[in-house]
Coordinates of all heavy atoms in Angstrom, one line a residue:
Chain A
P64 N 115.1 110.9 96.8 CA 115.5 111.1 98.3 C 116.8 111.7 98.4 O 117.8 111.5 97.7 CB 115.4 109.6 98.7 CG 115.5 108.8 97.6 CD 114.9 109.5 96.4
A65 N 117.0 112.4 99.6 CA 118.2 113.1 99.9 C 119.2 112.0 100.3 O 118.8 111.0 100.9 CB 118.0 114.1 101.0
F66 N 120.5 112.3 100.2 CA 121.6 111.4 100.6 C 122.9 112.0 100.8 O 123.0 113.3 100.3 CB 121.6 110.3 99.5 CG 122.1 110.7 98.1 CD1 123.5 110.9 97.9 CD2 121.2 111.1 97.2 CE1 123.9 111.3 96.6 CE2 121.6 111.6 96.0 CZ 123.0 111.7 95.8
E67 N 123.7 111.4 101.3 CA 125.2 111.8 101.4 C 126.0 110.6 101.4 O 126.0 109.9 102.3 CB 125.4 112.7 102.7 CG 126.7 113.4 102.6 CD 127.0 114.2 103.9 OE1 127.7 113.6 104.8 OE2 126.6 115.3 104.1
L68 N 126.7 110.4 100.2 CA 127.4 109.2 100.0 C 128.8 109.4 99.5 O 128.9 110.3 98.8 CB 126.6 108.2 99.1 CG 125.3 107.6 99.6 CD1 124.7 106.8 98.5 CD2 125.6 106.6 100.7
Q69 N 129.7 108.5 99.9 CA 131.1 108.6 99.2 C 131.0 108.2 97.8 O 130.0 107.5 97.4 CB 132.0 107.7 99.9 CG 132.2 107.9 101.5 CD 132.9 106.9 102.2 OE1 133.3 105.9 101.6 NE2 133.0 107.1 103.5
S70 N 132.1 108.6 97.0 CA 132.1 108.1 95.6 C 132.8 106.7 95.7 O 133.4 106.3 96.7 CB 132.9 109.1 94.8 OG 134.3 108.8 95.0
V71 N 132.6 106.0 94.6 CA 133.1 104.7 94.5 C 134.7 104.8 94.5 O 135.4 104.0 95.1 CB 132.7 103.9 93.2 CG1 133.5 102.7 93.0 CG2 131.2 103.5 93.4
E72 N 135.1 105.9 93.8 CA 136.6 106.0 93.7 C 137.3 106.4 95.0 O 138.4 106.0 95.1 CB 136.8 107.1 92.6 CG 136.5 106.8 91.2 CD 134.9 106.8 90.8 OE1 134.3 107.5 91.6 OE2 134.5 106.1 89.9
S73 N 136.6 107.2 95.8 CA 137.4 107.7 96.9 C 136.5 108.0 98.1 O 135.4 108.5 98.0 CB 138.2 109.0 96.5 OG 138.2 109.9 97.6
A74 N 136.9 107.6 99.3 CA 136.2 107.9 100.5 C 136.1 109.4 100.9 O 135.3 109.7 101.8 CB 136.7 107.1 101.7
D75 N 136.9 110.1 100.3 CA 137.1 111.5 100.6 C 136.1 112.4 99.8 O 135.9 113.6 100.2 CB 138.5 112.1 100.3 CG 139.5 111.3 101.2 OD1 139.1 111.0 102.4 OD2 140.7 111.1 100.7
T76 N 135.6 111.9 98.7 CA 134.6 112.6 97.9 C 133.2 112.3 98.4 O 132.8 111.1 98.4 CB 134.7 112.2 96.4 OG1 136.1 112.2 96.1 CG2 134.0 113.3 95.5
L77 N 132.5 113.3 98.8 CA 131.1 113.1 99.3 C 130.1 113.7 98.3 O 130.4 114.9 97.7 CB 130.8 113.8 100.6 CG 131.3 113.0 101.8 CD1 130.8 113.8 103.1 CD2 130.8 111.6 101.8
Y78 N 129.1 113.0 97.8 CA 128.1 113.4 97.0 C 126.7 113.6 97.7 O 126.4 112.8 98.6 CB 127.9 112.5 95.8 CG 128.9 112.4 94.8 CD1 129.5 111.1 94.6 CD2 129.5 113.5 94.2 CE1 130.5 110.9 93.6 CE2 130.6 113.4 93.4 CZ 131.1 112.1 93.1 OH 132.1 112.0 92.2
T79 N 126.0 114.7 97.3 CA 124.6 114.8 97.8 C 123.7 115.0 96.6 O 124.1 115.0 95.5 CB 124.6 116.2 98.7 OG1 124.9 117.2 97.9 CG2 125.5 116.0 99.9
L80 N 122.4 115.1 96.9 CA 121.4 115.3 95.9 C 121.7 116.5 94.9 O 121.4 116.3 93.8 CB 120.1 115.5 96.6 CG 118.8 115.5 95.8 CD1 118.7 114.4 94.9 CD2 117.6 115.7 96.7
A81 N 122.3 117.5 95.4 CA 122.7 118.7 94.6 C 123.3 118.3 93.4 O 123.1 118.9 92.3 CB 123.4 119.7 95.4
Q82 N 124.3 117.3 93.5 CA 125.0 116.9 92.3 C 124.1 116.3 91.2 O 124.6 116.1 90.1 CB 126.2 115.9 92.7 CG 127.4 116.6 92.9 CD 127.5 117.0 94.5 OE1 127.0 116.3 95.3 NE2 128.2 118.1 94.8
L83 N 122.9 115.7 91.6 CA 122.1 115.1 90.6 C 121.2 116.1 89.8 O 120.8 115.7 88.7 CB 121.3 114.0 91.3 CG 121.9 112.8 92.0 CD1 120.8 111.8 92.4 CD2 123.0 112.2 91.1
R84 N 120.9 117.1 90.4 CA 120.1 118.1 89.7 C 120.7 118.9 88.6 O 122.0 118.9 88.4 CB 119.6 119.1 90.8 CG 118.7 118.5 91.8 CD 117.8 119.4 92.4 NE 117.0 119.0 93.6 CZ 117.4 119.3 94.8 NH1 118.3 120.2 95.0 NH2 116.7 118.9 95.9
G85 N 120.0 119.5 87.8 CA 120.5 120.4 86.7 C 120.5 119.8 85.4 O 120.4 120.5 84.4
E86 N 120.4 118.5 85.3 CA 120.4 117.8 84.0 C 119.5 116.5 84.1 O 119.4 115.9 85.1 CB 121.8 117.4 83.6 CG 122.3 118.2 82.4 CD 123.7 117.7 82.1 OE1 124.6 118.1 82.7 OE2 123.7 116.9 81.1
V87 N 118.9 116.2 83.0 CA 118.1 115.0 83.0 C 119.2 113.8 83.1 O 120.1 113.8 82.4 CB 117.3 114.8 81.6 CG1 116.6 113.5 81.7 CG2 116.4 116.0 81.4
T88 N 118.9 113.0 84.0 CA 119.9 111.9 84.5 C 119.2 110.6 84.6 O 118.1 110.4 85.0 CB 120.4 112.4 85.8 OG1 121.0 113.7 85.7 CG2 121.5 111.4 86.3
L89 N 120.1 109.6 84.3 CA 119.6 108.2 84.6 C 120.5 107.7 85.8 O 121.7 108.0 85.9 CB 120.0 107.2 83.5 CG 119.3 107.4 82.1 CD1 119.8 106.3 81.2 CD2 117.8 107.3 82.4
V90 N 119.8 107.3 86.8 CA 120.6 106.8 88.0 C 120.5 105.2 87.9 O 119.4 104.6 88.0 CB 120.0 107.2 89.4 CG1 120.6 106.6 90.5 CG2 120.0 108.7 89.4
N91 N 121.6 104.6 87.8 CA 121.7 103.2 87.5 C 122.2 102.4 88.7 O 123.3 102.6 89.2 CB 122.6 102.9 86.3 CG 122.7 101.4 86.0 OD1 123.8 100.8 86.1 ND2 121.7 100.8 85.6
V92 N 121.3 101.6 89.3 CA 121.7 100.7 90.5 C 122.5 99.5 89.9 O 121.9 98.8 89.2 CB 120.5 100.4 91.3 CG1 121.0 99.6 92.6 CG2 119.7 101.7 91.7
W93 N 123.7 99.3 90.5 CA 124.4 98.2 89.9 C 125.3 97.7 91.1 O 125.4 98.2 92.1 CB 125.3 98.7 88.8 CG 126.4 99.6 89.1 CD1 126.3 100.9 89.4 CD2 127.8 99.2 89.3 NE1 127.5 101.5 89.7 CE2 128.4 100.5 89.7 CE3 128.6 98.1 89.2 CZ2 129.8 100.5 89.9 CZ3 130.0 98.1 89.5 CH2 130.6 99.4 89.9
A94 N 125.8 96.5 90.8 CA 126.7 95.7 91.8 C 127.5 94.7 91.1 O 127.0 94.2 90.0 CB 125.8 95.1 92.8
T95 N 128.7 94.3 91.5 CA 129.5 93.3 90.9 C 128.8 91.9 91.0 O 129.1 91.1 90.2 CB 130.9 93.4 91.3 OG1 131.0 93.2 92.7 CG2 131.6 94.6 90.9
W96 N 128.2 91.7 92.1 CA 127.5 90.4 92.3 C 126.2 90.2 91.4 O 125.6 89.1 91.4 CB 127.1 90.3 93.8 CG 126.3 91.4 94.4 CD1 127.0 92.3 95.2 CD2 125.0 91.7 94.3 NE1 126.0 93.3 95.6 CE2 124.8 92.8 95.0 CE3 123.9 91.1 93.6 CZ2 123.5 93.5 95.2 CZ3 122.7 91.7 93.8 CH2 122.5 93.0 94.5
C97 N 125.9 91.3 90.6 CA 124.6 91.2 90.0 C 124.9 90.7 88.6 O 125.5 91.4 87.9 CB 123.9 92.6 90.0 SG 123.0 93.1 88.7
F98 N 124.3 89.6 88.2 CA 124.7 89.0 87.0 C 124.1 89.8 85.8 O 124.7 90.0 84.8 CB 124.1 87.6 86.9 CG 124.5 86.9 85.6 CD1 125.9 86.6 85.3 CD2 123.6 86.7 84.5 CE1 126.3 85.9 84.1 CE2 124.0 86.2 83.3 CZ 125.2 85.8 83.1
A99 N 122.9 90.3 85.9 CA 122.2 91.1 84.8 C 122.9 92.3 84.5 O 122.8 92.9 83.4 CB 120.8 91.2 85.2
C100 N 123.6 92.9 85.6 CA 124.4 94.1 85.4 C 125.4 93.9 84.3 O 125.8 94.8 83.5 CB 125.0 94.5 86.7 SG 123.7 95.0 87.9
R101 N 125.9 92.7 84.2 CA 127.0 92.4 83.1 C 126.4 92.6 81.8 O 127.0 93.1 80.9 CB 127.4 90.9 83.2 CG 128.5 90.8 84.2 CD 128.5 89.3 84.6 NE 128.7 89.3 86.0 CZ 129.7 88.7 86.7 NH1 130.5 88.0 86.0 NH2 129.8 88.8 87.9
L102 N 125.2 92.1 81.6 CA 124.4 92.1 80.3 C 124.1 93.5 79.9 O 124.1 93.9 78.7 CB 123.1 91.3 80.4 CG 123.2 89.9 80.9 CD1 121.9 89.3 81.1 CD2 124.1 89.1 79.9
E103 N 123.9 94.4 81.0 CA 123.5 95.8 80.7 C 124.7 96.6 80.4 O 124.4 97.8 79.7 CB 122.7 96.2 82.0 CG 122.1 97.6 81.9 CD 121.4 97.9 83.2 OE1 122.1 97.9 84.3 OE2 120.2 98.1 83.2

Side-chain angles (χ1 to χ4, degrees):
Chain A
F66 62 90
E67 193 184 88
L68 289 174
Q69 299 172 1
S70 80
V71 167
E72 288 78 16
S73 142
D75 300 326
T76 316
L77 279 185
Y78 290 129
T79 62
L80 185 52
Q82 268 91 31
L83 296 193
R84 294 208 190 100
E86 249 182 277
V87 182
T88 301
L89 296 183
V90 176
N91 177 247
V92 182
W93 67 283
T95 55
W96 47 260
C97 147
F98 182 76
C100 297
R101 276 158 224 241
L102 307 175
E103 183 180 58

